[in-house]
Amino acid sequence: MPGVKCKICQHEMTPTGEHYVREQVTLTEPKIIRRKVYQQTYKCVHCATTAEKPGAFYTGTPVPTPPIAHSLASPSIIAEVIHQKYELQVPLARQLKDWEQRGFKLSTATASNWIIRVAEDWLAPLVATMHQDLMAQSHLHGDETPYQVLNEPNKSNTSRSYLWLICSTVNAKHPIVYFGYEPHRDGAAANRLYTNFNGTLLCDGYAAYNMLSPTITHAGCWAHVRRKFVDAAPVSTTKGQANYAIDLINRLFKLEKQFKDLPGKQRLKRRQLESKPLVDNFFQWMSELTYLPSSSLGKVIDYAAKQQPYLVQFLNDPEIALSNNIAERHIKTAVMGRKNYLFSSSPKGARANTVMLSLIESAKANGLNPQRYIAYLLEEIPQLSQPINAVDLQGYLPWTEQVQAKCQA
């Protein structure tokens, strides 16, 4: 710093170096830049002067196909809209208000159309490929949550539709998270979503899952049972009984923590030796218990008794988890988003939502930055030859080498 004088003699001081003071984080305001795209053109002088071919022949350098034709939307700006809406749960209207302050005005209808268009044209085929790969896995988790969709044929705007979730297990080599939209929550919807699946499905006790193909093994969730006992305990006149069940289930989970890093055969052996006696004790205790069927405790016991064939499945298969928590964690993104943007204006919008949620949650499960992944897909997939070949899309699945190299978190 020039001009620093000695406090004693007032002579100008000579710099001797510097020393560390502190660190601080600063924010550089994001910018929205409007760029014009030009194409280099060429003219054939020979064709222009040859008598056999009068006139000039023109050609141009290849120009990348945009994600939306005749639109200002670039891959990066669409990916930002998707990131803000689905990862940060910021409704479009609030996003665009911020953009307007930066000098770029856009209508909510246009931004919504961007999401629907890229979902239908480029991203839905990739998610369909992911769904096919998911159905080939041996063990899956499933869940569903209500969702409101307006302008749905033959349904009132206040009626419920549903987002269904299917995901890989925590130890899957290629984890996939898939969201499906269905107007109903019945067995027909479940069968559409699980077409061609012949493995083991871990889910809650909803009756629609019992209507799946008999080739699918149904496993139950102990965390779900425990939660019901916890809810019943404060209002039960037999608190000690509810707490006894909670304690037994807690001990099951404690054992499972000890087993989680064991090879499959060893894990199964330890479950048979240590977990099975607790499970037998749990159901024996329930069968001998006296309770009011209409009480909170009675309803929980009735639920657990009906789930018994599914709750014991983990004792026969080391790959079956004790709980469905992984599915509930993934579906939380949709639940939190629903609290902010509330509903979809059309079935098209609802289907676009499931495409984006599938890509975002699958990206997270594979260690990717979801925003970077979606921007990369919107840059690359439109360049593929049309119609899009499912084989070509295999190269854009979230665990592939090229995607991992460009989109890691």
Side-chain angles (χ1 to χ4, degrees):
M1 181 177 179
V4 177
K5 294 185 178 181
C6 177
K7 293 180 181 179
I8 300 173
C9 66
Q10 301 303 311
H11 281 82
E12 187 168 324
M13 302 180 77
T14 302
T16 60
E18 58 185 26
H19 72 278
Y20 174 82
V21 179
R22 66 176 181 275
E23 288 185 21
Q24 61 185 19
V25 178
T26 59
L27 176 66
T28 302
E29 185 176 351
K31 294 181 179 179
I32 298 174
I33 301 171
R34 185 166 181 159
R35 290 195 174 107
K36 293 184 178 180
V37 179
Y38 290 87
Q39 180 186 40
Q40 179 66 55
T41 57
Y42 297 88
K43 173 183 176 181
C44 179
V45 178
H46 181 266
C47 287
T49 56
T50 302
E52 293 85 8
K53 299 177 181 179
F57 177 75
Y58 287 90
T59 188
T61 53
V63 176
T65 302
I68 302 175
H70 313 297
S71 169
L72 291 172
S74 67
S76 63
I77 203 75
I78 298 172
E80 173 67 13
V81 172
I82 292 167
H83 163 68
Q84 290 277 339
K85 178 174 179 179
Y86 298 99
E87 287 192 80
L88 303 184
Q89 287 86 44
V90 181
L92 293 179
R94 266 189 258 164
Q95 289 186 51
L96 302 183
K97 187 176 181 181
D98 182 47
W99 287 16
E100 189 173 355
Q101 292 175 350
R102 299 187 211 171
F104 180 53
K105 190 172 183 179
L106 188 72
S107 71
T108 304
T110 300
S112 180
N113 187 56
W114 284 0
I115 295 173
I116 292 172
R117 285 287 303 280
V118 298
E120 290 180 344
D121 294 347
W122 312 119
L123 302 179
L126 178 63
V127 172
T129 299
M130 291 165 59
H131 181 253
Q132 289 177 0
D133 286 8
L134 190 62
M135 292 299 102
Q137 295 185 8
S138 62
H139 293 74
L140 297 178
H141 291 258
D143 203 359
E144 70 292 325
T145 188
Y147 190 68
Q148 188 176 1
V149 180
L150 309 184
N151 301 313
E152 200 163 26
N154 305 317
K155 289 185 72 176
S156 68
N157 287 343
T158 57
S159 63
R160 284 182 170 186
S161 296
Y162 291 87
L163 296 182
W164 293 67
L165 174 136
I166 313 170
C167 69
S168 308
T169 64
V170 69
N171 295 320
K173 183 180 179 181
H174 295 148
I176 300 172
V177 182
Y178 176 81
F179 282 83
Y181 156 69
E182 288 286 344
H184 303 286
R185 193 191 179 202
D186 54 14
N191 275 292
R192 280 192 294 272
L193 289 160
Y194 288 92
T195 301
N196 299 325
F197 177 61
N198 293 304
T200 299
L201 172 66
L202 200 161
C203 53
D204 61 25
Y206 182 58
Y209 292 112
N210 298 331
M211 300 173 69
L212 290 171
S213 166
T215 59
I216 297 175
T217 301
H218 183 176
C221 172
W222 280 95
H224 204 77
V225 175
R226 182 189 181 280
R227 204 174 301 138
K228 287 181 177 292
F229 274 107
V230 169
D231 291 341
V235 295
S236 174
T237 56
T238 52
K239 290 184 181 179
Q241 293 172 328
N243 289 334
Y244 180 76
I246 294 167
D247 179 62
L248 281 175
I249 298 172
N250 285 347
R251 288 162 64 187
L252 278 178
F253 277 99
K254 188 175 180 179
L255 287 174
E256 201 61 24
K257 272 190 177 181
Q258 298 173 18
F259 306 158
K260 68 174 184 177
D261 295 325
L262 296 176
K265 288 185 178 179
Q266 290 185 33
R267 188 185 313 123
L268 186 60
K269 187 176 180 180
R270 294 286 296 274
R271 282 178 175 179
Q272 287 289 333
L273 287 173
E274 300 176 53
S275 300
K276 188 176 185 301
L278 292 175
V279 173
D280 293 341
N281 188 358
F282 176 83
F283 288 111
Q284 181 66 28
W285 165 79
M286 284 204 320
S287 67
E288 296 173 352
L289 192 65
T290 302
Y291 57 88
L292 290 173
S294 59
S295 67
S296 299
L297 183 64
K299 292 176 181 177
V300 179
I301 290 173
D302 181 61
Y303 173 84
K306 289 177 179 176
Q307 287 295 299
Q308 182 174 354
Y310 316 122
L311 290 170
V312 298
Q313 287 294 340
F314 83 103
L315 297 171
N316 306 314
D317 185 342
E319 299 306 317
I320 296 177
L322 209 58
S323 80
N324 200 31
N325 287 349
I326 187 173
E328 294 185 3
R329 285 196 297 272
H330 284 305
I331 209 167
K332 189 176 179 181
T333 300
V335 173
M336 295 301 294
R338 182 182 62 200
K339 290 181 178 179
N340 288 277
Y341 46 78
L342 302 178
F343 56 82
S344 289
S345 298
S346 67
K348 275 190 174 184
R351 282 189 286 271
N353 283 350
T354 62
V355 169
M356 301 310 169
L357 289 167
S358 299
L359 291 173
I360 287 168
E361 291 303 304
S362 295
K364 291 179 187 176
N366 286 274
L368 303 181
N369 178 310
Q371 184 177 4
R372 197 176 301 155
Y373 179 46
I374 290 173
Y376 175 71
L377 295 177
L378 295 179
E379 288 170 357
E380 297 293 325
I381 293 179
Q383 314 317 316
L384 299 176
S385 58
Q386 303 299 315
I388 296 176
N389 190 317
V391 175
D392 292 336
L393 288 174
Q394 290 287 333
Y396 297 96
L397 294 168
W399 54 82
T400 56
E401 187 175 343
Q402 64 179 9
V403 170
Q404 287 286 324
K406 292 181 177 295
C407 306
Q408 277 198 340

